[in-house]
Amino acid sequence: MTDPSPSPELPLPGELRVLLFAALRERAGWRERHLPVTGGITPAAVWEQLGLEPADAAATVRVAINQQFATWHSPLAGGDELAFLPPISGG
Amino acid sequence: MTDPSPSPELPLPGELRVLLFAALRERAGWRERHLPVTGGITPAAVWEQLGLEPADAAATVRVAINQQFATWHSPLAGGDELAFLPPISGG
Amino acid sequence: MAAPLLSIALEPGPFQPLQALERWHGQLRHRLGHLPAAESSFVGRVRPHSGAGVPLAALELEHYPGMTEAQLRQLAAAAADNPEVAAVLVRHRIGRVLPGEPIVLVAVAADRRGPAQRCCQELLEALKHEAPFWKREWLLDGSRQWLEGNTPL
Amino acid sequence: MAAPLLSIALEPGPFQPLQALERWHGQLRHRLGHLPAAESSFVGRVRPHSGAGVPLAALELEHYPGMTEAQLRQLAAAAADNPEVAAVLVRHRIGRVLPGEPIVLVAVAADRRGPAQRCCQELLEALKHEAPFWKREWLLDGSRQWLEGNTPL
């Protein structure tokens, strides 16, 4: 029932792994991408660099780094897993 | 485990049936008594008439007439079932 | 919406809360056609120690036959007085209850979690204070004492 | 008192809350030697209708593998941070869930009813808002829509 997608390439050492879920994944048309890490890069910069929508996502989209909630301005490093999480609806 | 007590006499028509429970029953040494109803009698008057303790019971003991909570000054009539209830501890 | 289904019973011997819930689910499926979206429940069991902290042999539950059942029904109806509450289950032990054995089971099925949780909690407090039950602690040496009131929340 | 026992699992297929509770009781008896005096639990099931009121074919639950389990564990530990809470059980469905099927089970065993009820309620709210799950409604005509948030309390 979820979109089938090929198993992604493994990230190269030092690359950033970016994940999208649910409505964000469907809107963007992809589930996972790998990016080279540049100095001082943040989730907000990655969002912009990947052209993700909406442009002002901070009000609705949450960020996780290495599977822990983080802020849009948390520092990122090579090897990190960065996820953008649309509004949660569990339980 | 509860005190065995002989099946009480049936009340005569027009008599008041008085019931005690738990600690009150044990303290008084009886479970059920029947009293003739006199005009204007109330639970407070019955309590006094039967010499029940403590004398100022209204703070801790509750009253039920015909299996519904009532007040110490509710009117009683022949055939009524009057119960004195020590502090409740259910659940 | 129809008045909530009330299933209320006193249990003179040991009972299994999960079996009681399973039978109740069967009744709800039969009466409502489905199980509601939210179900909140509570089970109370006898502690191994008295209020004073010494080992307990048993807890005796005395009640007022007739009035107890009527009060439980009235308290359940009052707590369930919300159009979103579909059904209420109450099981309450009487007689001699051993440490670890269930004393009380309250369950509420409703369309949303808020009413289910509130009704379950309110009904539990109500029956602890407004249904004519009395607990007596029996200790290992055969001594015993009536409790004056409930364990605090 | 020892840290509360946490039993947390995602369920990829239909599960029976009463069976899960029964197994948990067995674990508690084994680990604690007895069942605590107070047990509060909640079961959430899929409604037969969408939020917009049309018949639902299924609810799809997507999640973030790895983070979900870690978050549930963290939320359970935080909600159970009370010396009176002895154990917490969480079961949460993932995948395609049919109307009437259980989605979530939360149960808390504690020494008193207050902490059991509060912990159960807080943990349910926490996992609805802080664990990475996403619900998608599938209608009978095959159309589908991601939900933005939860049913109100």
Side-chain angles (χ1 to χ4, degrees), chain A residues 12-13 17 26 32-35 38-39 54 60 62 83 85-86 89:
Chain A
L12 296 176
R17 189 178 175 201
E26 291 205 318
E32 174 165 351
R33 287 212 176 154
H34 302 148
L35 291 184
T38 54
T60 56
R62 292 170 79 176
L85 313 177
S89 57

Side-chain angles (χ1 to χ4, degrees), chain B residues 40-64:
Chain B
I41 198 169
T42 64
V46 172
W47 185 267
E48 199 185 339
Q49 184 180 331
L50 290 171
L52 292 165
E53 304 219 324
D56 57 341
T60 55
V61 176
R62 292 170 79 176
V63 163

Side-chain angles (χ1 to χ4, degrees), chain C residues 33-143:
Chain C
H34 68 285
L35 294 182
E39 182 181 319
S40 188
S41 63
F42 180 86
V43 178
R45 293 185 174 85
V46 177
R47 289 183 178 75
H49 295 91
S50 75
V54 297
L56 201 68
L59 198 63
E60 177 190 351
L61 273 148
E62 180 168 331
H63 76 121
Y64 184 170
M67 181 171 175
T68 311
E69 294 88 333
Q71 265 303 100
L72 288 178
R73 189 159 291 275
Q74 209 167 304
L75 297 170
D81 184 20
N82 177 323
E84 298 203 63
V85 172
V88 176
L89 172 74
V90 177
R91 293 289 177 269
H92 201 297
R93 267 301 301 276
I94 51 177
R96 183 183 171 89
V97 195
L98 301 181
E101 284 184 352
I103 311 177
V104 64
L105 163 65
V106 176
V108 177
D111 189 50
R112 287 185 308 135
R113 64 193 187 281
Q117 290 167 329
R118 275 194 299 277
C119 176
C120 185
Q121 240 166 292
E122 284 173 18
L123 180 50
L124 182 67
E125 291 313 302
L127 68 82
K128 280 180 173 279
H129 299 105
E130 301 295 326
F133 290 109
W134 298 277
K135 284 181 187 146
R136 176 154 60 170
E137 293 180 341
W138 289 69
L139 305 186
L140 298 176
D141 63 5
S143 65

Side-chain angles (χ1 to χ4, degrees), chain A:
Chain A
M1 216 160 58
T2 53
D3 304 4
S5 62
S7 193
E9 308 278 314
L10 283 178
L12 296 176
E15 273 190 337
L16 186 67
R17 189 178 175 201
V18 183
L19 303 176
L20 300 181
F21 289 93
L24 285 182
R25 169 175 50 73
E26 291 205 318
R27 200 185 304 148
W30 54 268
R31 180 188 295 275
E32 174 165 351
R33 287 212 176 154
H34 302 148
L35 291 184
V37 172
T38 54
I41 197 169
T42 64
V46 171
W47 185 268
E48 198 184 341
Q49 183 179 331
L50 291 171
L52 291 165
E53 305 221 323
D56 57 340
T60 56
V61 176
R62 292 170 79 176
V63 163
I65 299 174
N66 299 327
Q67 309 196 350
Q68 296 276 351
F69 287 117
T71 76
W72 283 84
H73 302 289
S74 300
L76 289 163
D80 279 352
E81 177 174 299
L82 167 64
F84 293 110
L85 313 177
I88 279 173
S89 57

Side-chain angles (χ1 to χ4, degrees), chain B residues 1-3 19-27 31 60 62-70 81-91, chain C residues 58-67 71 74 92 95-96 103-104 127-136 138 144 146-150:
Chain B
M1 217 159 60
T2 53
D3 305 3
L19 303 176
L20 300 181
F21 288 94
L24 286 181
R25 170 176 49 73
E26 291 205 318
R27 200 184 306 148
R31 180 188 295 276
T60 55
R62 292 170 79 176
V63 163
I65 299 175
N66 298 327
Q67 308 195 349
Q68 296 277 350
F69 287 117
E81 177 175 300
L82 167 63
F84 293 109
L85 313 177
I88 279 172
S89 56
Chain C
L59 198 63
E60 177 190 351
L61 273 148
E62 180 168 331
H63 76 121
Y64 184 170
M67 181 171 175
Q71 265 303 100
Q74 209 167 304
H92 201 297
R96 183 183 171 89
I103 311 177
V104 64
L127 68 82
K128 280 180 173 279
H129 299 105
E130 301 295 326
F133 290 109
W134 298 277
K135 284 181 187 146
R136 176 154 60 170
W138 289 69
R144 50 202 194 265
W146 292 102
L147 296 183
E148 305 261 314
N150 277 296

Side-chain angles (χ1 to χ4, degrees), chain D residues 3 24 28 42 45 48-49 60 76 78-79 81-82 84 96 98 100 102 120 133 135 140:
Chain D
W24 183 57
L28 295 190
F42 181 87
R45 294 186 174 84
H49 295 90
E60 177 191 349
D81 184 20
N82 178 323
E84 298 204 62
R96 183 183 172 89
L98 301 181
C120 185
F133 290 109
K135 284 180 186 145
L140 298 176

